[in-house]
């Protein structure tokens, strides 16, 4: 059974044939678009290290969401860029803070779009870490109540899904308990289960004007070298009540996505992070890559590896391209 009888090129000859046998597909309803909402007015400020991405103020938010919705994208993931920060990150659970206010506005104007909120205090802390800090150490258990308060405030504002990204142990259980106790037993948790301490987050830290003021995140985010440990993280988060588990970053971690697909029988999300986006954009600006091609191929690879949902800064551009191709 081989050549010349077998010819794999037979099914590649025309675009109709290729389409007929294609194994993986991209669709806008699989995309989640991250949005940076900033305090201030009439602000739509391009993020230097993320061309085509903006920090936007509340008065621009609804227009942005309408555009996203019209492209067939299912959900947005909100990140707050607050004007004030403190040691504890108290802005994170202020019911009148930037994220709860955004959630209320969106759910009132366009209730059909799913609103997911990032639950992590780093954008609100003066030291830029994802947990409380004492003597240079990031405290785990003491941080959990803060995450509970933050998640509850988001749910009360009307968030459809909460997404803890802090990587403290026990956070999924803590957040689940808090939501249930307050009657929000129907709000799913999308857990950043296998979140690596990655250099590919650098543009995001510029976007949110956050990032650690001392040290790094290696005592809580995962070591890039580890794969078995990612499965422990995923199993733990599922056992604690996660409804969706995430792998992050995406493209440099396709093996982890694929392995997660084998162990997890619930939806898997992959986060194509800021650095993955900016790499493709920067090369395109120099005329060094085919931007559309690289964008679609990377998204397809993430789906092929086993991700059901993709959080991507390319959401709008890719959705537009898919609409044109139809
Ligand atoms: C933490 C958070 C980060 C990202 C998402 N949530 C930053 C970090 O962990 O340092 C990174 C996302 C990206 O790079 O696009 N709130």
């Amino acid at each position: 059974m081989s050549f010349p009888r077998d010819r794999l090129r037979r099914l590649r000859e025309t675009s109709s044939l290729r389409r007929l046998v294609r194994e993986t597909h991209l669709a806008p309803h699989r995309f989640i678009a991250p949005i940076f909402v900033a305090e201030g007015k009439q602000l739509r400020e391009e993020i230097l290290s993320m061309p085509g991405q903006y920090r936007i103020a509340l008065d621009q938010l609804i227009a942005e969401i309408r555009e996203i919705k019209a492209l067939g994208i299912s959900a947005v993931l909100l990140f707050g860029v607050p004007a004030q920060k403190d040691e504890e990150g108290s802005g994170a659970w202020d019911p009148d803070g930037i994220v709860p206010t955004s959630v209320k506005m969106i759910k009132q104007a366009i209730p059909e779009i799913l609103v997911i909120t990032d639950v992590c205090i780093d954008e609100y802390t003066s030291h830029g870490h994802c947990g409380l800090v004492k003597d240079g150490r990031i405290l785990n258990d003491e941080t959990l109540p803060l995450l509970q308060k933050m998640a509850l405030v988001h749910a009360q504002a009307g968030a459809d899904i909460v997404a803890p990204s802090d990587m403290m142990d026990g956070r999924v259980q803590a957040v689940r308990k808090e939501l249930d106790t307050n009657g929000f037993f129907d709000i799913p948790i999308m857990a950043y289960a296998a979140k690596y301490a990655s250099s590919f987050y650098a543009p995001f830290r510029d976007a949110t004007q956050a990032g650690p003021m001392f040290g790094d995140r290696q005592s809580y985010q995962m070591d890039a070298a580890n794969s078995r440990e990612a499965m422990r993280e995923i199993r733990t988060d599922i056992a604690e009540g996660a409804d969706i588990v995430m792998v992050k970053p995406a493209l440099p971690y396709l093996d982890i996505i694929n392995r997660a697909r084998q162990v997890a029988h619930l939806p898997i999300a992959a986060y194509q992070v800021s650095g993955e986006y900016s790499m493709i954009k920067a090369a395109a600006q120099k005329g060094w890559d085919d931007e559309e091609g690289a964008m679609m191929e990377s998204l397809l690879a993430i789906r092929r590896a086993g991700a059901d949902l993709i959080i991507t800064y390319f959401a709008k551009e890719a959705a537009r391209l898919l609409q044109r191709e139809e």
Side-chain angles (χ1 to χ4, degrees):
M1 268 206 263
S2 61
F3 182 81
R5 203 201 64 182
D6 288 348
R7 290 178 183 271
L8 291 165
R9 287 185 56 187
R10 272 186 208 125
L11 293 176
R12 289 181 204 145
E13 193 61 31
T14 64
S15 66
S16 321
L17 269 171
R18 291 192 295 271
R19 221 175 134 178
L20 183 75
V21 299
R22 191 158 290 145
E23 298 175 30
T24 312
H25 300 272
L26 288 173
H29 68 264
R30 302 269 186 186
F31 298 151
I32 299 170
I35 299 185
F36 301 105
V37 272
E39 273 177 34
K41 273 214 170 99
Q42 305 218 315
L43 176 84
R44 192 178 166 86
E45 189 181 15
E46 189 164 25
I47 298 155
L48 209 61
S49 54
M50 300 179 74
Q53 298 298 314
Y54 298 82
R55 273 186 290 270
I56 60 173
L58 288 174
D59 50 11
Q60 317 273 316
L61 183 61
I62 297 306
E64 178 72 20
I65 304 285
R66 277 197 211 293
E67 202 184 325
I68 288 171
K69 164 97 193 338
L71 287 163
I73 296 162
S74 307
V76 294
L77 175 60
L78 299 184
F79 292 99
V81 186
Q84 306 287 336
K85 302 179 192 242
D86 59 29
E87 260 311 284
E88 273 207 312
S90 62
W93 53 89
D94 175 0
D96 300 318
I98 184 81
V99 167
T101 308
S102 305
V103 174
K104 277 183 227 156
M105 278 179 67
I106 299 170
K107 292 313 302 185
Q108 198 177 14
I110 312 162
E112 315 85 60
I113 195 115
L114 292 170
V115 179
I116 310 174
T117 57
D118 184 74
V119 175
C120 182
I121 62 174
D122 68 320
E123 285 118 60
Y124 304 85
T125 53
S126 44
H127 47 73
H129 277 288
C130 301
L132 279 177
V133 172
K134 196 174 176 202
D135 303 329
R137 295 189 65 231
I138 318 305
L139 304 178
N140 190 89
D141 301 18
E142 293 80 349
T143 300
L144 300 180
L146 311 187
L147 299 167
Q148 289 179 309
K149 284 197 268 188
M150 188 177 184
L152 181 60
V153 165
H154 291 177
Q156 284 166 338
D160 295 290
I161 301 177
V162 293
S165 71
D166 52 282
M167 290 301 277
M168 298 299 121
D169 287 322
R171 73 208 191 284
V172 174
Q173 186 180 54
V175 166
R176 183 73 272 157
K177 193 169 150 224
E178 183 73 4
L179 293 177
D180 288 356
T181 311
N182 289 279
F184 293 103
F185 33 78
D186 278 337
I187 303 290
I189 296 177
M190 178 167 82
Y192 285 67
K195 177 174 179 178
Y196 287 87
S198 172
S199 298
F200 290 98
Y201 305 150
F204 176 94
R205 293 175 188 169
D206 170 30
T208 55
Q209 294 157 345
M213 302 304 272
F214 69 89
D216 54 40
R217 302 211 200 282
Q218 294 189 63
S219 76
Y220 44 107
Q221 298 180 348
M222 285 187 56
D223 187 330
N226 295 354
S227 162
R228 292 188 297 265
E229 188 191 349
M231 299 309 111
R232 283 191 75 191
E233 280 285 3
I234 287 168
R235 283 199 199 94
T236 306
D237 282 5
I238 295 173
E240 288 184 21
D243 300 279
I244 301 172
V245 285
M246 192 199 300
V247 175
K248 176 184 175 187
L251 202 60
Y253 295 84
L254 291 182
D255 58 320
I256 307 298
I257 297 175
N258 193 252
R259 231 181 136 174
R261 179 72 289 159
Q262 322 296 325
V263 306
H265 297 154
L266 41 70
I268 293 175
Y271 198 145
Q272 182 182 48
V273 300
S274 55
E276 298 179 68
Y277 171 85
S278 298
M279 252 182 340
I280 293 174
K281 283 284 175 187
Q285 285 187 342
K286 284 186 171 280
W288 289 352
D289 70 3
D290 155 16
E291 185 179 348
E292 280 188 357
M295 164 176 82
M296 296 313 258
E297 189 177 328
S298 60
L299 293 170
L300 196 65
I302 294 164
R303 286 273 294 127
R304 192 194 60 232
D308 300 292
L309 316 169
I310 308 177
I311 302 159
T312 173
Y313 301 97
F314 283 122
K316 286 201 300 186
E317 273 176 85
R320 232 175 259 129
L321 199 67
L322 290 166
Q323 260 183 358
R324 245 190 286 146
E325 279 170 359
E326 256 180 22

